[in-house]
Amino acid sequence: MATTAQQAPGLGDISGTVLFYQKPEPLNPELHGKLGVKTIEAPFRFAKSGHAVPLTVGEFPLAALSGPIIFVGDDKMPIAVMGLNAGDNMFVQENGLFEPGVYIPAYVRRYPFVFATDDAQDRMVLCIDRAAEFIVEGGEMPFFEADNQPSEYTKRCMEFCNNFETERRRTVAFVQILKDLDLFETKTATFTPTNPDGTPAETQKIAEYFGVSEEKLNKLPPEKFIELRDNGALGQIYAHLMSLVGWDRLVALAMARAPAPPQAANA
């Protein structure tokens, strides 16, 4: 499938993933020839609203160090859980930066660029989010050169998006392997708070999601297990399973940031 950074005549309906993207537009020298990206102090402020961010399978080992990796929806899309409440990424600080040591998914790093599908011409079209606060006229990193050709910055971003698309397809194939082996099960993340007297309170459900069943994995025929090992899927499965302890980290963060209960005044 071809990719392009310029809008061609007859562009059909464009479809694509829209998390973070408020006003996606096909990158076009006529519309965006004078635009570019400027450096700002809060480059990831846009990601504050993403408590669940799409993830590619190659990112599992690094993402597992930051928080849970789960699968959602009929397609079993893998996502990095970055918050307990919708619209609140707990790892994005008030200054618009990620907390030190937190893995930043490629889905976030590619912003404001994204590929969309041009169904009419069977190709991928490079788009930008025109609503991104750091896209301005005369930006330090222009989208196009004086001859209306993509700048080196745009070329690098296009390559990044191409690599992301390759990884996305590899992720689809990985998920299909798990489906074919019937390894998915419904999992529930829970939290048991503590009463003021120190006794356990009623257990609360945090989330319900799809994950790999360790029982099903361990019952696979030896030849299937070896196949997963040899094609690299086994390591990614274990990264997913290990990541689930990250629910405890999210709960701890939420509790640490919760308003402190009022204290009785000393007599």
Side-chain angles (χ1 to χ4, degrees):
M1 181 176 290
T3 58
T4 179
Q6 299 186 33
Q7 183 176 7
L11 185 65
D13 293 334
I14 292 179
S15 61
T17 310
V18 295
L19 176 64
F20 303 141
Y21 296 84
Q22 301 178 44
K23 191 179 178 183
E25 297 178 355
L27 190 58
N28 183 316
E30 293 182 4
L31 295 177
H32 311 119
K34 296 181 179 180
L35 301 181
V37 170
K38 71 172 182 178
T39 302
I40 62 173
E41 295 182 353
F44 295 113
R45 182 156 44 204
F46 70 90
K48 184 62 179 174
S49 63
H51 74 292
V53 179
L55 205 64
T56 60
V57 66
E59 300 178 275
F60 280 23
L62 288 175
L65 300 176
S66 297
I69 299 169
I70 66 175
F71 300 84
V72 299
D74 293 338
D75 293 336
K76 307 295 191 298
M77 174 192 292
I79 64 170
V81 181
M82 309 192 86
L84 297 180
N85 298 311
D88 182 20
N89 188 324
M90 298 172 67
F91 296 140
V92 177
Q93 304 171 107
E94 293 303 319
N95 61 4
L97 298 174
F98 274 87
E99 291 191 358
V102 170
Y103 177 74
I104 304 175
Y107 186 98
V108 173
R109 287 181 279 124
R110 71 176 180 174
Y111 187 84
F113 291 90
V114 64
F115 271 138
T117 302
D118 176 4
D119 295 320
Q121 301 191 32
D122 189 30
R123 62 173 182 166
M124 302 296 291
V125 178
L126 187 67
C127 298
I128 57 169
D129 183 6
R130 187 63 186 85
E133 64 175 319
F134 42 77
I135 293 181
V136 298
E137 187 168 332
E140 302 160 31
M141 294 167 282
F143 294 137
F144 293 96
E145 304 288 359
D147 58 359
N148 286 338
Q149 293 301 309
S151 65
E152 288 302 316
Y153 168 71
T154 297
K155 290 177 182 178
R156 290 196 301 272
C157 293
M158 184 183 294
E159 181 181 6
F160 188 93
C161 288
N162 270 318
N163 292 338
F164 182 89
E165 178 63 17
T166 298
E167 286 299 300
R168 186 194 66 79
R169 294 179 182 181
R170 193 164 75 91
T171 302
V172 171
F174 167 76
V175 170
Q176 190 59 52
I177 290 174
L178 302 188
K179 288 180 178 180
D180 292 343
L181 293 174
D182 189 29
L183 291 180
F184 282 115
E185 68 175 358
T186 301
K187 292 178 178 284
T188 302
T190 61
F191 164 60
T192 303
T194 303
N195 291 317
D197 62 0
T199 60
E202 184 178 351
T203 298
Q204 302 175 10
K205 183 169 74 171
I206 300 174
E208 190 172 271
Y209 59 93
F210 294 109
V212 172
S213 165
E214 291 185 70
E215 181 180 358
K216 291 181 178 181
L217 179 65
N218 292 332
K219 288 183 178 180
L220 283 178
E223 63 273 14
K224 291 296 182 181
F225 200 85
I226 292 174
E227 186 177 321
L228 289 176
R229 182 199 66 187
D230 292 346
N231 65 21
L234 188 59
Q236 311 294 14
I237 290 172
Y238 283 138
H240 150 66
L241 292 172
M242 293 177 63
S243 79
L244 298 181
V245 301
W247 287 113
D248 292 338
R249 179 185 184 186
L250 294 179
V251 170
L253 279 174
M255 294 181 64
R257 296 174 183 178
Q263 300 294 321
N266 293 327

